[in-house]
Amino acid sequence: MRINSGKYKGRTIVPPRNLRARPTTDFAKENLFNVLVNLVDFEELDVLDLFSGTGSISYEFASRGARSVTSVEVNVVHNNFIKSTARELKFENFYAVRANVFLYLKSCTKQFDLIFSDAPYDLDGSEEVVNLVFEKNMLADDGILIFEHSKDKNFEGHPNLWQTRSYGSVQFSFFKKV
């Protein structure tokens, strides 16, 4: 996996073989950030990355100068990899949190400008993240929640759904406050 833009553009990050995460494909990630570059000022963002896995999305935001990045991952091996990579890249205002995402969301009192969730596609109830973010008022007024999912999930009819983007087998549903 590589960082597509920012201070560390082109930097390849090689996760150890014992990481079992399914990182967002480079193709989907590049397209997602091509959309975001027209929607947000990266340097003004407080970002929350849920189900961080390898940390790929977190590194991309940090490389682009996000004000802060909080990376939440429950797996200790994955979390340690994210911490060590962030240290190695000398990212400032980067917080790797080892926690169950659902418990973290229920206890978090901070608001974020951008929340990204990439739950395992086969995780039952993963779509509950969307409801928790809005119930807990975790998005700043102009904030965006991006939920990555397979084509099997459909959020059409959700009152906060703004748009959906499809890149191969990867879907991104964008949500905003109503």
Side-chain angles (χ1 to χ4, degrees), residues 25-129:
T25 65
D26 280 345
F27 173 72
K29 183 171 68 168
E30 188 170 344
N31 281 290
L32 171 65
F33 279 89
N34 285 341
V35 170
L36 289 175
V37 78
N38 296 305
L39 296 176
V40 300
D41 177 355
F42 289 99
E43 294 176 358
E44 298 296 318
L45 293 180
D46 290 312
V47 176
L48 176 62
D49 180 12
L50 303 171
F51 302 98
S52 297
T54 62
S56 173
I57 296 294
S58 292
Y59 309 143
E60 196 69 47
F61 279 110
S63 179
R64 292 169 186 249
R67 183 171 41 218
S68 74
V69 176
T70 302
S71 175
V72 180
E73 172 57 50
V74 71
N75 183 295
V76 68
V77 175
H78 295 208
N79 184 261
N80 287 339
F81 174 73
I82 292 167
K83 282 181 184 178
S84 67
T85 303
R87 248 189 329 269
E88 178 185 321
L89 296 174
K90 296 181 174 68
F91 285 142
E92 295 180 19
N93 301 318
F94 190 104
Y95 310 98
V97 177
R98 182 173 173 253
N100 174 292
V101 164
F102 299 102
L103 297 177
Y104 179 86
L105 290 174
K106 289 176 183 176
S107 66
C108 183
T109 58
K110 183 177 178 181
Q111 283 193 325
F112 296 89
D113 303 295
L114 194 141
I115 300 173
F116 181 84
S117 178
D118 181 13
Y121 287 1
D122 61 352
L123 179 65
D124 285 337
S126 63
E127 63 280 353
E128 189 58 28
V129 164

Side-chain angles (χ1 to χ4, degrees), residues 16-30:
R17 290 181 180 231
N18 63 341
L19 290 190
R20 297 181 320 222
R22 172 206 38 81
T24 302
T25 65
D26 280 345
F27 173 72
K29 183 171 68 168
E30 188 170 344

